[in-house]
Amino acid sequence: AVQVEESGGDSVQAGGSLTLSCVYSGFRWKTRCLAWSRQAPGKERERVARIDNNGATTYADPVKGRFTISLDSAKNTLTLQMNSLEPEDTAMYYCGAQDGALCKGLYDLNDWGQGTQVTVSS
């Protein structure tokens, strides 16, 4: 299994920015998919963004143009840059990893972290 650990969650004002980081280890294959998901109180977990080892990215509609996912393989770090934050972005953010597969067509990822809390106040 791949191990992941998130950090960077905080409380910010609407319109502000935050950068979340996820340090990972344990991949066996070069082919991989990494992702961010989030879950707000009383709501189901939803996808935020995904990236694979080829650099292909996908974003959920609510975050397009505001969030950027990136992968630094040399540092084993996945990053989510979040700009123009809105109160609706308040949630626990989770980092996920899937070894041996690209993101395209992948319904869910195998390995998830414990999450980091993001709170956006108006």
Side-chain angles (χ1 to χ4, degrees):
V2 178
Q3 292 77 46
V4 296
E5 184 172 0
E6 309 94 335
S7 63
D10 204 347
S11 297
V12 297
Q13 296 279 340
S17 298
L18 271 180
T19 302
L20 303 184
S21 296
C22 171
V23 177
Y24 58 83
S25 63
F27 278 108
R28 295 175 58 195
W29 307 103
K30 180 180 179 181
T31 302
R32 60 191 62 169
C33 174
L34 291 108
W36 290 97
S37 291
R38 66 186 182 186
Q39 187 167 19
K43 295 186 177 181
E44 294 186 353
R45 188 179 292 196
E46 62 175 355
R47 295 181 188 179
V48 174
R50 292 182 169 186
I51 187 168
D52 65 26
N53 56 286
N54 294 323
T57 58
T58 58
Y59 295 90
D61 287 342
V63 308
K64 282 181 180 177
R66 301 188 297 122
F67 290 10
T68 302
I69 189 171
S70 61
L71 183 61
D72 187 338
S73 298
K75 296 182 178 179
N76 286 1
T77 301
L78 176 73
T79 299
L80 185 69
Q81 176 65 44
M82 305 187 294
N83 299 326
S84 302
L85 283 161
E86 304 168 353
E88 293 73 23
D89 296 317
T90 295
M92 185 71 78
Y93 283 71
Y94 298 92
C95 171
Q98 178 70 46
D99 202 0
L102 298 176
C103 298
K104 187 176 182 179
L106 198 61
Y107 178 73
D108 199 0
L109 281 68
N110 268 350
D111 303 303
W112 292 94
Q114 296 299 308
T116 186
Q117 178 68 39
V118 172
T119 302
V120 184
S121 57
S122 57

